[in-house]
């Protein structure tokens, strides 16, 4: 038991995921917790089952998109029955939220694709009519669909700092010209594929963020994919440009926090219980609509 426990040393805690070293040094064990972050801070509450929902959704999309780009998923249901992390996880907690993945060198940029004008894209557009140096038509409203999806990279800030939108030129300076072009082309393909799929399921993917990493075999997709944490999901039937639509993602939590007048400095305020439950419902609904399987239906 002890030896096995030592075979997954804890490496680091992300805002949502705990990362462990696997016995095979080319792999990592990643455990998605129920933590939720907003404005780059981890909130004091957890959202029940969130980590399992994110894991299911990411695995679903990794499988759906593997012909567009290789991804890090090696084992979606790793056999870790003899292992636990006494500090963080009991054995039963680990089930359904752990994945064995290929270790990659994460790129220094985040690959963001926007099909609609929202969030920091909308703010940038209001300031100068552009998003990440891409000029857009005049007179667009918040939430408007863009003529075509755009690639709007950002820096991948170290803990605590805010990611900043950057131009494609700056992205090239950070990761090199070839990789930047490859990331842009693959990101747009991934977005267009998933946007069309989700739309048939009544969900608009307004924008999304990917992380890529380098391996000996080239570029792969890592981290998470088309989840409510990494994407803006809007219900298609209540979509109206000119307003911020009720979403399936953590925009709901951001909206709540904006109204508390929290100054965005730690410590983040706790969420009231009804916000926690409503958020959990939204994550479940996104999973159900996109994949047809709910949490309860899991094997
Ligand atoms: N295949 C991989 N190889 C190396 N690092 C990875 C891989 N997949 C995810 N990561 C990293 O593991 C961490 C996942 O934790 P997460 O909570 O998502 O972090 P963050 O707070 O940066 O969002 C991130 O730092 C991510 O870059
Ligand atoms: Mg992440």
């Amino acid at each position: 038991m002890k030896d096995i426990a030592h075979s997954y040393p804890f490496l680091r805690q992300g805002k949502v995921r705990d990362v462990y070293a696997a016995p095979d040094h080319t792999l990592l064990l990643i455990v998605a917790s129920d933590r939720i972050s907003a404005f780059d801070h981890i909130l004091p509450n957890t959202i029940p089952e969130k980590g399992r929902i994110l894991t299911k959704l990411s695995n679903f999309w990794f499988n759906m998109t593997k012909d567009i780009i290789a991804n890090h998923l090696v084992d979606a249901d790793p056999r870790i029955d003899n292992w636990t992390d006494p500090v963080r996880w009991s054995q039963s907690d680990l089930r359904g939220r752990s994945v064995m993945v290929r270790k990659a060198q994460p790129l220094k940029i985040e690959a963001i694709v926007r099909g609609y004008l929202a969030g920091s894209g909308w703010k940038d557009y209001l300031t100068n009519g552009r998003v990440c140096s891409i000029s857009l038509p005049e007179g667009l409203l918040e939430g408007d669909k863009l003529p075509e999806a755009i690639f709007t990279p950002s820096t991948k800030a170290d803990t605590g700092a805010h990611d900043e939108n950057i131009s494609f030129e700056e992205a090239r300076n950070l990761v090199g010209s070839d990789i930047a072009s490859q990331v842009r082309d693959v990101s747009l393909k991934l977005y267009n594929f998933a946007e069309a799929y989700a739309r048939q399921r009544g969900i608009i993917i307004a924008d999304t963020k990917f992380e890529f990493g380098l391996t000996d075999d080239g570029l792969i997709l890592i981290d998470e994919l088309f989840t409510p944490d990494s994407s803006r999901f809007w219900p298609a039937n209540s979509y109206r440009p000119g307003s911020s639509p009720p979403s399936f993602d953590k925009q709901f939590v951001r909206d709540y926090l904006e109204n508390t007048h929290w100054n965005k400095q730690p410590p983040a305020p706790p969420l009231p219980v009804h916000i926690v439950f409503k958020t959990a419902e939204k994550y479940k609904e996104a999973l159900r609509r996109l994949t047809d399987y709910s949490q309860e239906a899991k094997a």
Side-chain angles (χ1 to χ4, degrees):
M1 188 77 165
K2 214 170 171 204
D3 287 342
I4 296 168
H6 283 130
S7 64
Y8 295 97
F10 178 70
L11 290 182
R12 63 181 177 276
Q13 187 191 76
K15 288 190 288 293
V16 171
R17 292 171 185 77
D18 291 343
V19 184
Y20 296 87
D24 175 336
H25 291 304
T26 65
L27 304 178
L28 295 172
L29 178 71
I30 297 188
V31 181
S33 74
D34 291 340
R35 294 189 292 271
I36 185 164
S37 72
F39 307 111
D40 288 325
H41 297 286
I42 300 172
L43 305 184
N45 311 71
T46 54
I47 306 295
E49 295 303 304
K50 175 174 174 279
R52 291 200 174 90
I53 293 171
L54 297 183
T55 303
K56 267 207 154 103
L57 258 179
S58 289
N59 292 349
F60 168 81
W61 287 113
F62 279 134
N63 189 43
M64 292 278 283
T65 57
K66 59 178 187 261
D67 293 337
I68 300 176
I69 171 96
N71 62 64
H72 74 170
L73 191 63
V74 171
D75 190 345
D77 190 14
R79 292 195 157 273
I80 48 173
D81 295 350
N82 291 322
W83 176 77
T84 185
D85 172 348
V87 179
R88 296 169 191 84
W89 296 104
S90 72
Q91 181 54 239
S92 60
D93 282 343
L94 285 166
R95 210 158 301 137
R97 58 172 86 245
S98 310
V99 285
M100 195 65 80
V101 304
R102 182 157 182 196
K103 191 183 348 186
Q105 186 62 52
L107 294 186
K108 296 266 185 256
I109 57 168
E110 306 216 322
I112 297 164
V113 176
R114 299 168 194 276
Y116 294 76
L117 205 47
S120 69
W122 167 241
K123 283 191 187 132
D124 289 357
Y125 175 78
L126 281 182
T127 313
N128 56 19
R130 287 179 299 178
V131 184
C132 295
S133 301
I134 299 171
S135 297
L136 295 174
E138 278 176 35
L140 292 176
L141 302 176
E142 181 175 18
D144 254 336
K145 190 175 198 313
L146 300 174
E148 60 182 357
I150 54 174
F151 176 67
T152 59
S154 77
T155 54
K156 190 167 148 49
D158 296 328
T159 337
H162 286 284
D163 297 339
E164 267 177 52
N165 290 342
I166 53 175
S167 67
F168 186 64
E169 266 312 303
E170 288 167 290
R172 279 163 86 167
N173 292 338
L174 284 170
V175 300
S177 211
D178 286 356
I179 297 289
S181 300
Q182 210 184 328
V183 166
R184 178 193 55 199
D185 296 351
V186 167
S187 296
L188 290 168
K189 265 191 206 157
L190 286 168
Y191 174 81
N192 288 326
F193 168 79
E195 200 271 341
Y197 175 91
R199 184 174 280 279
Q200 290 182 334
R201 306 287 178 118
I203 290 183
I204 293 172
I205 303 179
D207 54 34
T208 194
K209 183 198 82 185
F210 309 112
E211 277 190 50
F212 290 88
L214 286 172
T215 68
D216 293 346
D217 302 317
L219 197 68
I220 65 168
L221 198 51
I222 64 170
D223 206 44
E224 63 178 331
L225 190 56
F226 296 118
T227 71
D229 273 11
S230 68
S231 321
R232 277 198 176 77
F233 287 165
W234 295 338
N237 59 9
S238 51
Y239 168 66
R240 301 271 180 286
S243 63
S244 182
S247 61
F248 287 113
D249 58 59
K250 67 182 184 187
Q251 188 60 38
F252 181 69
V253 172
R254 291 191 202 106
D255 290 347
Y256 167 79
L257 289 171
E258 291 281 18
N259 284 324
T260 64
H261 308 295
W262 168 45
N263 64 0
K264 318 259 169 74
Q265 299 304 314
L271 301 173
V273 100
H274 72 278
I275 300 285
V276 169
F277 281 115
K278 193 120 189 251
T279 305
E281 283 309 311
K282 282 173 179 284
Y283 276 69
K284 273 188 202 143
E285 176 68 2
L287 175 72
R288 192 188 62 74
R289 285 217 200 181
L290 290 169
T291 68
D292 281 343
Y293 43 71
S294 63
Q295 263 309 96
E296 292 72 39
K298 80 173 193 280

